[in-house]
Amino acid sequence: MPRTGPRWLIFAAVAALPALVILVPLGSFLAMSLAHAEKHQIIYDWTLRNYASFLGNWTYLSTFLGTLWLCLEVVLLSLIVGYPIAWYIWRQKSWKRYALLQIAALPLFMSYIVKLYTLRSMLGLNGLVNQALVSLGILEQPSQVFLYNQRAVLITMTVIYLPYVVLPIFLSLERIPRSLLHASTDLGAGGWDTFRRVVLPLSVPGTIAGALFAFVLALGDFITPQMVGGTTGFTIGRVIFSQFGLAFDWPFGAAMAAILLLVALLLIVTAGYAASRRRV
Amino acid sequence: MTKKIRLDRRDFLIGSAAAGAMIAAPTIVRAASKELRVLAWEGYAEPEWVEAFKKETGAEVKIVYVGSADEMFAKMQGSQGADFDVVSFDTSIFSRYLDANLLAPLDLSKIANAGNIAPEFREVKEVMRADKQFGVPFAWGSLPMVYDADAFSTPPDSWDVMWNPEYGQQLICMDDANNCITWGALVVGVDNPYNLSDDDFARVKEKLIEQKKLLLSYFAGFDEGVNMFAQNSIKVMYSMGEPQVPALKNKGINAALTIPKEGAPGWLDCWTMSAGATDPDLAHQWINTCLAASVGEILTNKAGYGNTTNTDVNKAAGFTYGDKLSWLQQAENYEKRVAVWNEVKAG
């Protein structure tokens, strides 16, 4: 039997680094959210007034709710696009499957900013999307509707976060034992019935994980709205960002970030609970 | 078999002292020769005059560039000025540095080239405190209107053009709380655009929300504004500065700038001496070098900023509108400006 002493030590050694680089900064910004700024000095007086002023400010609160709504739209759209992609990859045989999987994961190797610039030039007035639509005769002339609005933010975020949705869904599909599919066929279920009653329910945990990734990433993204959102791309991330420059209201920014973190955590816990109940 | 290395306390101390001396050696050697530590914006310490300065004084020059005024202040405050000898920043934040005691007064008798400074930059009250002068003006510029000259037969004479629905979705504006509130205040005609009352804020906010409906987008950086202008057939923008015009011309846009009748914000950067300057004479020599007329010429023709010493070069480059600018000042309340700007963007 292993002694408990050394095991504890090993655990402490392994946990020290994550604690240092994750928990300490988190703790410091939670502490910051309870301070207040005065004349470029931060005074730690353990007050909740930053939280109160956020909840009492309709501009920020409605921006926050609008951002949550936008993130839900991103999740929905990326599931609608991502699930069929994952399913299609999963249906392929041998090398083809992994080649497609590689391609689906390829955007993860590219810088986020590069992807943003690429998408922006594609969606722009003289971009690929407009050129294609005009040459196909769908549009008579290039349109500005694809860029500098909320729709652009939605499209861009969905494209950028798609790999984070496809991969977990694929993984949960791959974990489904082939025998279950054979059994379903043997029992006379058609392709659609097998999908609806076997594949779909068993892939729920991966789907929830993918949806969570998309939601949390979209929630914290303050660059995409700025780059492609035009005058309507104002999200809570921009509000938080604005507290750290000229305003020098770090405590208020930290409080809003803490609320964002809380919402994300709450969602992760709820979704994790839902996913674990689904597990067979 | 491994040999255990044992270190006793004395060995350790001797070893550390030796290591410490080795690490410190370059500093000790360097301290013997002269060194000037510069904290500035890019373009303010170019090889053309840095090399001449080095040759003349025999000093080394160590330059640190920063990307924002906040970063610059943080670097100075972090060391109480001890990390730098000379610093350049604009007149609107002088009081912040002076209040934090980060600057040392200048002795103009040690700066022969101060005589080169053009008359309009000689009496700048922001650089004075208690009859002592803490800065000398070095470079200036504006936040002008930049427009597509192909779309206008004569330059627009008023910012009203950016409220004209005819140019809807063909306008862009920088995303900067302080500069945009100042701009709005100039347009609605507030007496002092740096000291707004609650009533003024409400008027500015309403005006800017009205303008937002016609904007294609805000832009966050210098190049971002240029690219957005060029890619979307933009007609007019509230620009981040003069150098955006040549950048647009490089992209084939017939861009031009103008200062409308309401005025436009202007900035005036000055050289100052840090309170922690190790060699005040050397710092004065640096400022003297920067005020040479030849440096002003390079500053204007290479970096695209207005200079304070060479009027002919300014005229040739089009920097003739210093009197039309509203020089940026310390604003009444920056937190409030950011909050109002957020309300404009959310509105």
Side-chain angles (χ1 to χ4, degrees):
Chain A
M1 239 180 85
R3 284 180 303 158
T4 50
R7 278 184 83 177
W8 261 105
L9 270 176
I10 290 169
F11 174 78
V14 170
L17 189 66
L20 202 70
V21 299
I22 298 172
L23 295 181
V24 171
L26 259 178
S28 82
F29 106 75
L30 284 177
M32 175 74 76
S33 77
L34 300 171
H36 85 277
E38 214 173 279
K39 292 192 171 174
H40 297 281
Q41 299 281 326
I42 285 160
I43 299 158
Y44 287 91
D45 50 358
W46 314 115
T47 161
L48 284 172
R49 69 171 167 190
N50 294 312
Y51 293 90
S53 67
F54 172 73
L55 295 173
N57 185 327
W58 177 241
T59 304
Y60 293 165
L61 205 57
S62 64
T63 305
F64 182 53
L65 295 176
T67 308
L68 289 181
W69 180 249
L70 174 72
C71 296
L72 285 177
E73 288 181 317
V74 170
V75 167
L76 207 68
L77 191 60
S78 50
L79 285 183
I80 291 173
V81 179
Y83 197 99
I85 294 177
W87 181 83
Y88 179 78
I89 295 174
W90 174 62
R91 296 294 294 170
Q92 303 306 307
K93 295 271 183 299
S94 62
W95 68 270
K96 236 175 153 184
R97 175 195 272 195
Y98 292 100
L100 282 176
L101 196 64
Q102 287 284 322
I103 292 171
L106 209 57
L108 294 177
F109 293 91
M110 241 200 285
S111 150
Y112 167 72
I113 297 292
V114 171
K115 282 186 274 192
L116 267 179
Y117 273 104
T118 313
L119 273 161
R120 192 156 79 162
S121 68
M122 280 172 70
L123 295 170
L125 202 57
N126 308 318
L128 197 69
V129 173
N130 266 313
Q131 281 175 10
L133 289 177
V134 170
S135 65
L136 289 171
I138 298 171
L139 283 182
E140 276 189 20
Q141 54 186 19
S143 164
Q144 260 178 353
V145 299
F146 303 111
L147 197 52
Y148 301 124
N149 50 43
Q150 284 262 327
R151 197 179 303 119
V153 180
L154 182 59
I155 296 172
T156 308
M157 282 190 176
T158 303
V159 172
I160 289 181
Y161 299 133
L162 202 57
Y164 297 97
V165 178
V166 171
L167 292 180
I169 297 178
F170 172 81
L171 286 178
S172 70
L173 287 172
E174 209 184 33
R175 279 177 51 187
I176 301 174
R178 291 274 151 168
S179 57
L180 288 183
L181 304 180
H182 294 150
S184 171
T185 316
D186 289 350
L187 292 171
W192 169 243
D193 265 338
T194 302
F195 175 75
R196 194 171 57 90
R197 300 172 72 165
V198 180
V199 176
L200 191 60
L202 287 174
S203 64
V204 163
T207 310
I208 290 178
L212 266 185
F213 277 132
F215 188 87
V216 171
L217 289 168
L219 192 62
D221 187 348
F222 62 92
I223 299 179
T224 305
Q226 165 81 30
M227 295 267 296
V228 302
T231 56
T232 55
F234 193 59
T235 59
I236 194 69
R238 300 301 310 167
V239 178
I240 296 175
F241 178 79
S242 74
Q243 301 305 321
F244 287 84
L246 185 69
F248 200 76
D249 204 346
W250 290 21
F252 188 44
M256 284 189 284
I259 290 170
L260 215 60
L261 178 75
L262 194 74
V263 170
L265 271 181
L266 221 82
L267 229 97
I268 291 171
V269 171
T270 319
Y273 179 69
S276 69
R277 283 191 48 162
R278 279 291 192 160
R279 205 158 284 149
V280 182
Chain B
M1 232 181 80
T2 53
K3 196 177 139 197
K4 267 205 167 160
I5 299 170
R6 279 200 53 172
L7 265 181
D8 68 22
R9 210 175 138 134
R10 185 188 297 184
D11 287 341
F12 180 73
L13 280 176
I14 293 170
S16 343
M22 270 175 73
I23 293 165
T27 326
I28 294 164
V29 172
R30 225 190 301 138
S33 67
K34 288 196 283 186
E35 189 193 44
L36 182 81
R37 300 156 307 163
V38 180
L39 179 64
W41 305 110
E42 230 159 308
Y44 285 14
E46 294 295 291
E48 285 90 339
W49 60 93
V50 170
E51 292 307 320
F53 175 79
K54 278 190 194 164
K55 214 180 270 175
E56 198 182 311
T57 60
E60 282 302 308
V61 178
K62 196 178 109 195
I63 307 162
V64 175
Y65 293 123
V66 288
S68 78
D70 290 313
E71 191 186 343
M72 191 181 273
F73 185 77
K75 277 199 157 54
M76 279 292 281
Q77 201 181 29
S79 66
Q80 286 297 303
D83 283 351
F84 301 99
D85 298 308
V86 287
V87 195
S88 74
F89 48 84
D90 87 273
T91 50
S92 74
I93 40 178
F94 252 79
S95 57
R96 207 169 144 189
Y97 281 84
L98 288 170
D99 291 343
N101 296 317
L102 296 175
L103 304 179
L106 295 171
D107 180 355
L108 279 250
S109 67
K110 290 182 183 167
I111 306 174
N113 283 338
N116 292 343
I117 296 176
E120 64 262 42
F121 299 113
R122 276 193 197 154
E123 312 253 321
V124 180
K125 63 178 189 325
E126 281 84 1
V127 305
M128 308 293 293
R129 182 163 285 189
D131 284 341
K132 287 186 179 134
Q133 183 161 350
F134 287 86
V136 288
F138 173 64
W140 63 278
S142 67
L143 306 174
M145 174 192 286
V146 170
Y147 62 97
D148 181 353
D150 289 344
F152 296 92
S153 49
T154 55
D157 72 332
S158 163
W159 284 112
D160 282 346
V161 69
M162 286 191 73
W163 273 260
N164 183 349
E166 196 183 320
Y167 301 108
Q169 312 308 310
Q170 296 175 314
L171 308 167
I172 55 176
C173 167
M174 75 174 95
D175 184 0
D176 181 297
N178 186 39
N179 291 333
C180 287
I181 300 284
T182 303
W183 176 54
L186 286 171
V187 175
V188 299
V190 177
D191 284 338
N192 180 355
Y194 308 101
N195 188 11
L196 305 184
S197 65
D198 287 350
D199 189 44
D200 295 331
F201 269 119
R203 278 162 65 210
V204 168
K205 179 180 151 186
E206 193 185 346
K207 189 79 179 167
L208 291 175
I209 288 178
E210 193 189 324
Q211 203 278 323
K212 186 178 92 161
K213 300 188 177 92
L214 303 176
L215 274 184
L216 177 66
S217 183
Y218 299 109
F219 60 90
F222 193 89
D223 295 328
E224 166 113 352
V226 170
N227 288 331
M228 209 182 264
F229 194 110
Q231 285 166 7
N232 296 282
S233 321
I234 297 300
K235 299 292 182 280
V236 186
M237 80 165 149
Y238 176 34
S239 163
M240 277 188 152
E242 285 83 358
Q244 282 190 316
V245 174
L248 277 166
K249 284 186 171 159
N250 276 340
K251 291 188 176 284
I253 307 287
N254 185 15
L257 71 78
T258 182
I259 306 297
K261 65 182 181 209
E262 298 90 345
W267 51 266
L268 180 59
D269 277 350
C270 303
W271 279 113
T272 66
M273 182 166 73
S274 161
T278 46
D279 186 344
D281 283 338
L282 193 65
H284 279 88
Q285 271 176 297
W286 167 260
I287 295 173
N288 191 52
T289 301
C290 289
L291 292 179
S294 57
V295 170
E297 183 178 354
I298 300 164
L299 183 74
T300 299
N301 291 339
K302 191 172 157 191
Y305 301 126
N307 70 74
T308 57
T309 50
N310 199 326
T311 315
D312 294 340
V313 169
N314 272 344
K315 266 188 194 149
F319 282 92
T320 53
Y321 41 77
D323 55 334
K324 287 193 200 168
L325 298 177
S326 163
W327 299 107
L328 284 170
Q329 294 171 21
Q330 163 108 0
E332 70 299 297
N333 182 344
Y334 290 117
E335 290 87 340
K336 170 101 180 167
R337 287 189 169 219
V338 169
V340 170
W341 181 237
N342 279 337
E343 284 166 23
V344 169
K345 292 203 290 176

